[in-house]
C-alpha cells in the first residue's frame, strides 16, 4: 500500500465515524409529573398569572403534539413503559410502587438506556424514580448498596428521589447510596409504626404545615406527613422546597461532565406531584394554589436546562422531548387548595378524566419535541407516545433493538421530527394502573373504553367519579365527543367488535411491535 492509500485507509473511516457521531443528537427527556394537557400556556392554560414562557418557547420553536401520550394514567406504569418500550400491563408489579418496592424492571430486560449505551451514549437519570430499588423479595437496603437500580438497567449515573415525595423516605440516592447518610444514624423504613410514640399525621396533625385529606398520615418530615414510616437518616433528609433546584443543579453538573460524547438525560421532575411544595421564591406566582406555583417552578427548570445547553453550545446538538407521566389531579391526598383555586382553569384541557383514568385526560398530555435547526416549528396531530421513544431513537441513531425487546415501542421518529407526511401510531393502548384494570384503546378518532376493574368501573368526569357505573365496553367518537360522554357502541356495532377484538389481540399477542 502506498502512503496515500494507507492514510485513506485510516483517515476515511475515522472521518466517516466522526460524521456518523456528529449526527447523533444528545437527548433530554423532561418528564413532568401529573401535568395535564391544559396546564401550560401553549396548550391553552388561561389563568392570568400561570405563565409558562419556557415550555411555550419549546412549543413555538419546536413541534407541539396534539395527540402526544404517556401510556398509563399513573406514574410507575408510564415510567416502566417509557424505559422498557413495553406496555406495563405485560409486566409484574407494575402498578404504583410502594416505598419499599424492589426494582420492578427485571435486570435482564433491554431498556432505553441500554439502547443509548449501545449507541455510544452516556446515560443518566435525575429526579423522581418510583420504579423500586433492590432485589425482588428483598427491596431497598437503605443503609447499604441500593441495588439493583438504575445503574443495573443501563444508566451510568443516577441522582434520585427514590419513590415519590408523598412516600417515605425524603433522601437523595446518588448511584447506589443514600447521600449524606451518617452510619451512626441509620435509616429505617417500614410499613408499621416503629414505636407507640412515633409522631404521625394522625397524632400530631395540629403541627403539620400542610394537612392531609386522604392517606398520607404516617411519618412526618418537614411538617408534612407521608405514606409509610421512617426513622433516622436525619443528615440525609432534604427539604421538599429544594427538589427542583437540586434536579437542575445535578443535571447541569452531569451534562457539563459528559458533553464531549453524545448523552441521554432523563430529567424526571417531581412537579406537580403531591405534596406540592414550591420553593419560597415561586410561592404565589401563579395566582392559583401551590399546584399552579409548581407549574411555574417546572417551567423555570425547563428554562434553566435550555439556557445551560445554549451556554455550552449544545442547543443545536440536543433533542429535547417534553412530556408528562399522567394527567392532572386536584386533591391527591393533601389539603393544598388545588381544586378550590382551580377557578375556570381546565387542567385536562378539552378532555375529561385525568390521573387514574383511561379517559383521554388520563394519558393525553403536553408533548413537545425541540431540536433547533433540525425540527421545524409547527403543530402535529400525529399520535405519539412516550413508549415509542426507545424504538424511534434507536432507529435514528442506528442501533438495532433485539427482536424480543421493546415489545410495544413503535418507530415514529419521522413524526417526532415533524417530517412531511410522516405518520405516528395507528393505535394506542392506554391503561390506568397495574395489571388487569381498565384500558383505553384509540384508533384514529375512535376510542374504546374497557373497564375490567369492578372497583373502578366508574366514569371519571372532571376528576370526580360520576355515579353512573361504566359498562364493560364503551365506544366514543373523539372527533365529535372529546369528553367521551356519549357512548356510541350501540350505533356502531362493527367498530365496537373490531376494536374489542384488536385490543384483546394486542393483549394476547404479548407484543405489538
Ligand atoms: C396514590 C396516592 C396518591 C399518589 C399516587 C401515585 C393515596 C390516598 N393516594 O396511592 O397520593 O401518590 O398513589 O401517584 O395515598 S403517581 O403519580 O406516582 O402514580
Ligand atoms: Ca404521576
Amino acid at each position: 500500500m502506498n502512503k496515500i492509500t494507507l492514510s485513506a485507509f485510516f483517515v476515511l473511516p475515522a472521518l466517516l465515524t466522526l460524521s456518523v457521531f456528529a449526527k447523533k443528537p444528545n437527548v433530554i427527556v423532561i418528564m413532568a409529573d401529573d401535568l395535564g394537557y391544559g396546564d401550560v400556556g401553549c396548550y391553552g392554560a388561561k389563568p392570568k398569572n400561570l405563565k409558562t414562557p419556557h415550555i411555550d418557547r419549546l412549543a413555538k420553536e419546536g413541534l407541539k403534539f396534539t395527540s402526544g401520550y404517556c401510556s398509563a394514567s399513573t406514574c410507575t406504569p408510564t415510567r416502566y413503559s417509557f424505559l422498557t418500550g413495553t406496555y406495563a400491563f405485560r409486566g409484574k408489579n407494575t402498578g404504583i410502587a410502594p416505598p419499599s418496592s424492589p426494582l420492578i424492571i427485571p435486570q435482564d430486560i433491554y431498556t432505553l438506556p441500554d439502547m443509548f449505551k449501545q449507541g455510544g451514549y452516556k446515560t443518566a437519570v435525575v429526579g423522581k424514580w418510583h420504579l423500586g430499588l433492590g432485589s425482588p423479595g428483598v427491596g431497598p437496603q437503605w443503609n447499604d448498596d441500593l441495588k439493583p437500580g438504575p445503574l443495573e438497567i443501563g444508566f451510568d449515573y443516577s441522582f434520585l428521589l427514590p419513590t415519590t415525595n408523598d412516600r417515605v423516605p425524603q433522601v437523595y440516592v446518588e448511584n447506589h447510596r443514600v447521600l449524606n447518610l451518617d452510619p451512626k444514624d441509620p435509616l429505617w423504613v417500614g410499613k408499621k409504626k416503629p414505636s407507640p410514640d412515633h409522631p404521625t399525621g394522625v397524632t400530631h396533625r395540629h403541627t403539620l404545615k400542610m394537612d392531609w385529606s386522604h392517606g398520607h398520615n404516617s411519618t412526618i418530615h418537614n411538617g408534612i406527613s407521608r405514606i409509610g414510616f421512617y426513622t433516622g437518616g436525619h443528615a440525609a433528609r432534604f427539604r421538599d422546597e429544594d427538589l427542583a433546584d437540586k434536579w437542575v443543579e445535578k443535571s447541569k453538573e452531569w451534562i457539563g461532565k459528559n458533553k464531549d460524547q453524545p448523552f441521554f438525560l432523563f430529567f424526571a421532575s417531581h412537579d406537580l406531584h403531591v405534596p406540592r411544595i414550591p420553593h419560597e421564591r415561586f410561592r404565589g406566582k401563579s395566582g392559583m394554589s401551590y399546584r399552579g406555583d409548581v407549574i411555574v417552578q417546572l417551567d423555570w427548570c425547563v428554562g434553566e436546562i435550555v439556557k445551560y445547553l445554549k451556554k455550552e453550545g449544545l442547543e443545536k446538538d440536543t433533542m429535547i422531548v417534553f412530556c408528562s407521566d399522567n394527567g392532572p389531579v386536584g386533591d391527591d391526598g393533601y389539603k393544598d387548595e388545588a381544586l378550590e383555586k382551580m377557578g375556570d382553569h381546565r387542567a385536562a384541557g378539552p378532555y375529561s378524566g385525568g390521573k387514574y383514568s383511561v379517559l383521554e385526560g388520563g394519558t393525553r398530555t403536553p408533548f413537545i419535541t425541540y431540536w433547533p435547526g433540525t425540527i421545524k416549528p409547527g403543530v402535529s396531530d400525529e399520535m405519539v407516545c412516550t413508549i415509542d421513544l426507545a424504538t424511534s431513537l434507536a432507529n435514528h441513531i442506528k442501533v438495532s433493538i433485539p427482536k424480543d425487546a421493546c415489545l410495544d415501542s413503535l418507530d415514529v421518529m419521522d413524526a417526532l421530527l415533524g417530517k412531511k407526511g410522516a405518520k405516528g401510531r395507528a393505535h394506542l393502548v392506554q391503561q390506568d394502573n397495574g395489571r388487569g384494570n381498565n384500558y383505553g384503546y384509540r384508533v384514529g378518532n375512535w376510542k374504546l373504553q374497557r373497564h375490567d376493574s369492578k372497583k373502578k368501573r366508574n366514569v371519571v368526569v372532571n376528576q370526580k367519579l360520576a355515579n353512573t357505573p361504566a359498562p364493560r365496553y364503551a365506544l366514543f367518537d373523539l372527533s365529535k365527543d372529546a369528553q367521551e360522554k356519549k357512548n356510541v357502541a350501540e350505533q356502531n356495532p362493527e367498530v365496537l367488535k373490531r376494536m374489542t377484538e384488536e385490543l384483546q389481540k394486542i393483549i394476547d399477542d404479548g407484543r405489538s411491535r
Side-chain angles (χ1 to χ4, degrees):
M1 253 189 261
N2 64 31
K3 226 174 163 185
I4 293 173
T5 24
L6 234 186
S7 58
F9 190 76
F10 286 109
V11 174
L12 262 179
L15 279 177
L16 273 175
T17 319
L18 266 182
S19 69
V20 168
F21 273 107
K23 276 189 203 135
K24 286 187 178 178
N26 307 312
V27 177
I28 302 181
V29 174
I30 303 177
M31 188 176 275
D33 200 340
D34 301 1
L35 180 77
Y37 189 92
D39 271 329
V40 287
C42 51
Y43 280 83
K46 294 268 172 353
K48 189 164 101 252
N49 296 320
L50 181 60
K51 296 266 183 281
T52 52
H54 300 107
I55 299 168
D56 297 352
R57 201 190 127 218
L58 292 190
K60 191 161 164 254
E61 296 174 17
L63 194 58
K64 177 184 122 175
F65 286 85
T66 59
S67 282
Y69 289 83
C70 46
S71 49
S73 58
T74 48
C75 163
T76 304
T78 280
R79 286 159 204 261
Y80 175 93
S81 299
F82 161 59
L83 291 178
T84 62
T86 297
Y87 283 137
F89 60 77
R90 304 199 196 283
K92 275 197 204 123
N93 303 319
T94 54
I96 299 171
S100 52
S101 171
L103 178 69
I104 61 158
I105 299 180
Q107 260 177 271
D108 54 357
I109 280 193
Y110 184 89
T111 63
L112 172 76
D114 283 334
M115 180 284 285
F116 274 120
K117 275 179 87 160
Q118 202 182 323
Y121 280 60
K122 286 282 176 197
T123 56
V125 50
V126 173
K128 164 169 159 174
W129 182 237
H130 209 189
L131 289 163
L133 293 168
S135 328
V138 180
Q141 301 299 297
W142 296 102
N143 302 288
D144 207 329
D145 272 354
L146 284 158
K147 64 182 185 186
L151 303 198
E152 283 66 38
I153 59 148
F155 287 103
D156 294 313
Y157 176 72
S158 62
F159 190 91
L160 310 174
L161 160 70
T163 60
T164 185
N165 204 21
D166 57 345
R167 265 146 246 257
V168 297
Q170 278 52 59
V171 296
Y172 296 119
V173 174
E174 186 170 38
N175 296 324
H176 287 140
R177 285 282 172 169
V178 170
L179 188 69
N180 299 330
L181 185 64
D182 175 359
K184 288 198 263 356
D185 181 26
L187 181 59
W188 173 89
V189 179
K191 282 188 205 148
K192 290 204 182 112
K193 227 174 156 166
S195 60
D197 60 350
H198 181 80
T200 69
V202 178
T203 61
H204 289 64
R205 197 162 185 173
H206 59 285
T207 66
L208 300 176
K209 71 178 179 194
M210 182 187 275
D211 197 6
W212 51 274
S213 57
H214 49 102
H216 305 98
N217 54 16
S218 304
T219 292
I220 301 171
H221 168 68
N222 194 21
I224 300 158
S225 51
R226 325 264 168 170
I227 300 174
F229 297 92
Y230 71 121
T231 58
H234 288 89
R237 298 188 188 192
F238 57 62
R239 267 185 1 133
D240 307 65
E241 288 81 350
D242 299 325
L243 287 180
D245 282 331
K246 194 50 107 185
W247 308 147
V248 168
E249 175 199 320
K250 288 289 156 188
S251 297
K252 287 186 189 171
E253 208 175 279
W254 184 80
I255 295 172
K257 282 190 200 145
N258 291 279
K259 60 181 185 212
D260 296 330
Q261 70 262 289
F263 63 80
F264 163 62
L265 170 66
F266 175 23
F267 183 95
S269 169
H270 187 259
D271 294 325
L272 8 170
H273 201 282
V274 296
R276 302 169 183 128
I277 308 288
H279 187 269
E280 286 79 354
R281 70 186 187 280
F282 294 109
R283 297 214 176 146
K285 284 282 185 282
S286 68
M288 301 172 78
S289 59
Y290 278 175
R291 185 178 185 281
D293 296 346
V294 294
I295 296 179
V296 175
Q297 177 169 283
L298 167 72
D299 185 70
W300 173 84
C301 294
V302 172
E304 285 300 296
I305 300 283
V306 174
K307 205 159 71 185
Y308 185 71
L309 291 176
K310 257 198 176 154
K311 180 175 154 261
E312 296 293 326
L314 297 167
E315 215 194 6
K316 290 208 157 132
D317 303 323
T318 306
M319 175 174 174
I320 297 179
V321 180
F322 178 81
C323 55
S324 177
D325 73 336
N326 53 251
V329 57
D331 180 343
D332 206 14
Y334 291 97
K335 293 186 186 167
D336 61 3
E337 298 193 301
L339 277 175
E340 293 82 342
K341 298 217 171 133
M342 203 76 88
D344 296 335
H345 176 57
R346 302 195 54 119
Y351 305 107
S352 54
K355 185 169 180 176
Y356 311 114
S357 129
V358 295
L359 280 84
E360 289 292 292
T363 50
R364 203 193 289 214
T365 64
F367 195 115
I368 303 166
T369 54
Y370 170 86
W371 183 1
T374 301
I375 294 180
K376 261 214 248 136
V379 176
S380 171
D381 295 329
E382 290 304 315
M383 182 153 71
V384 294
C385 178
T386 47
I387 201 171
D388 297 325
L389 292 169
T391 298
S392 303
L393 290 159
N395 288 350
H396 189 73
I397 63 168
K398 310 262 178 306
V399 169
S400 69
I401 290 183
K403 204 168 170 289
D404 61 352
C406 303
L407 301 171
D408 302 289
S409 178
L410 306 185
D411 180 5
V412 293
M413 194 63 195
D414 286 349
L416 293 172
L417 295 175
K419 288 200 185 154
K420 233 179 155 186
K423 290 269 164 250
R425 306 184 134 250
H427 53 79
L428 175 73
V429 180
Q430 302 146 293
Q431 69 171 103
D432 51 0
N433 192 6
R435 208 150 46 158
N437 283 325
N438 306 315
Y439 299 96
Y441 180 55
R442 186 181 158 193
V443 179
N445 281 322
W446 290 113
K447 167 76 182 275
L448 179 78
Q449 287 176 13
R450 167 171 149 175
H451 297 269
D452 285 10
S453 159
K454 290 195 182 71
K455 76 170 187 267
K456 287 188 190 152
R457 207 183 277 189
N458 281 294
V459 182
V460 184
V461 179
N462 293 337
Q463 295 162 46
K464 290 199 184 97
L465 281 181
N467 293 326
T468 19
R472 175 129 197 257
Y473 290 102
L475 184 71
F476 303 88
D477 179 354
L478 296 177
S479 69
K480 298 185 193 121
D481 178 23
Q483 296 251 317
E484 293 161 86
K485 283 199 166 141
K486 192 170 179 288
N487 180 3
V488 293
E490 264 180 42
Q491 295 87 320
N492 299 278
E494 293 95 54
V495 181
L496 177 73
K497 182 167 181 287
R498 192 182 70 229
M499 288 187 63
T500 304
E501 286 170 4
E502 273 174 24
L503 171 59
Q504 190 57 50
K505 187 166 182 322
I506 291 177
I507 296 170
D508 293 344
D509 281 355
R511 64 183 303 150
S512 58
R513 175 167 81 93

